[in-house]
Amino acid sequence: MSKLGKFFKGGGSSKSRAAPSPQEALARLRETEEMLGKKQEYLENRIQREIALAKKHGTQNKRAALQALKRKKRFEKQLTQIDGTLSTIEFQREALENSHTNTEVLRNMGFAAKAMKSVHENMDLNKIDDLMQEITEQQDIAQEISEAFSQRVGYGDDFDEDELMAELEELEQEELNKKMTNIRLPNVPSSSLPAQPDRKPGMSSTARRSRAASSRRAEEEDDDIKQLAAWAT
């Protein structure tokens, strides 16, 4: 058995020591991560310093330059180990956080299950079925009442359509007669109309105009003859 195994076995042999809570373990892991981060930053600064010393001595002091490079290698090895340790701690912390979350979820689900059980203990499925049936019946009754109120109530609606139409026509005729009696006709003149000249039967207006034109031409010709006779004498 390795010394490391003996150390952990000896440290965990006491049964009186209680197991840490997830919160305590997470706090310790975060503290360890913070400490290793600071150590990582320190090693990176030392590596840069040793590189600067090696460049400074160069070929002038090879021994000092080689010692600086050796220290740089040791610091780089430690830095690599710290990187691996940080990765392991980060994985362990995430696993512990997930376990703690699952534990809290399981606890809350169990609490909710107990609450649902206590609620359902006071419920009877038969009573629930009876209640739902009663609700359905009451809804049907309410629907029937609403339909009864919405139906049109008729009292003596059985009339003869022909009689109604005839009565309507009589009413319209009476209304039309009233309107006709209210219309005022123009007054008839008291004086008699002037008498029109007698017209010979059988003669149209065109013939009369043609006859009057012939008489005027005959009179004009007589005047011309008289003027010619007077000029000759």
Side-chain angles (χ1 to χ4, degrees):
M1 184 180 293
S2 63
K3 294 182 179 180
L4 186 62
K6 291 180 180 180
F7 174 78
F8 282 105
K9 183 177 180 181
S13 60
S14 177
K15 295 181 180 180
S16 61
R17 181 178 300 175
S21 64
Q23 291 82 359
E24 293 176 352
L26 289 173
R28 293 290 184 87
L29 289 175
R30 292 191 180 96
E31 290 177 358
T32 304
E33 284 181 316
E34 185 178 357
M35 179 188 66
L36 291 176
K38 293 180 180 179
K39 184 65 178 297
Q40 192 178 31
E41 185 179 357
Y42 169 76
L43 291 174
E44 290 176 352
N45 292 331
R46 287 299 304 270
I47 290 172
Q48 295 299 325
R49 188 184 304 172
E50 297 302 331
I51 292 174
L53 288 174
K55 290 180 179 180
K56 180 179 178 182
H57 294 296
T59 57
Q60 296 177 0
N61 191 350
K62 291 184 178 181
R63 184 177 179 181
L66 291 174
Q67 291 295 328
L69 291 176
K70 288 180 181 180
R71 291 191 296 271
K72 180 181 77 70
K73 290 294 184 181
R74 290 198 302 270
F75 294 148
E76 288 177 349
K77 185 176 181 180
Q78 294 179 21
L79 186 62
T80 302
Q81 292 176 352
I82 291 176
D83 289 339
T85 304
L86 283 173
S87 297
T88 303
I89 292 175
E90 183 179 0
F91 175 78
Q92 187 178 12
R93 178 177 55 79
E94 291 177 354
L96 184 58
E97 288 176 349
N98 292 332
S99 299
H100 177 62
T101 302
N102 294 334
T103 302
E104 291 296 326
V105 171
L106 182 61
R107 183 182 304 170
N108 294 332
M109 290 177 66
F111 182 77
K114 290 180 181 179
M116 292 178 64
K117 183 178 180 180
S118 63
V119 171
H120 292 161
E121 285 178 353
N122 299 325
M123 292 185 179
D124 188 0
L125 293 178
N126 294 326
K127 292 182 179 180
I128 294 174
D129 293 337
D130 295 338
L131 178 62
M132 295 304 298
Q133 185 176 2
E134 184 177 356
I135 291 174
T136 303
E137 291 177 358
Q138 294 301 323
Q139 289 179 349
D140 294 338
I141 293 173
Q143 183 66 27
E144 291 178 0
I145 293 173
S146 299
E147 292 178 355
F149 281 135
S150 62
Q151 290 179 357
R152 188 183 60 157
V153 179
Y155 296 98
D157 287 344
D158 298 332
F159 298 110
D160 189 358
E161 295 291 336
D162 295 336
E163 293 181 358
L164 294 176
M165 291 298 297
E167 184 176 357
L168 179 61
E169 291 178 357
E170 291 178 359
L171 294 175
E172 291 177 351
Q173 186 63 36
E174 291 179 359
E175 187 67 22
L176 181 61
N177 294 334
K178 290 181 181 180
K179 291 181 180 180
M180 292 297 293
T181 55
N182 293 329
I183 296 176
R184 294 183 178 180
L185 296 175
N187 295 326
V188 179
S190 58
S191 60
S192 60
L193 295 176
Q196 294 183 356
D198 296 336
R199 295 181 179 178
K200 294 182 179 181
M203 184 178 295
S204 63
S205 58
T206 304
R208 288 195 298 272
R209 286 195 298 269
S210 178
R211 185 175 179 181
S214 299
S215 299
R216 285 195 300 271
R217 285 196 299 270
E219 291 177 357
E220 291 176 357
E221 290 178 356
D222 292 340
D223 292 338
D224 293 336
I225 292 172
K226 291 177 179 181
Q227 291 179 2
L228 180 61
W231 178 76
T233 57

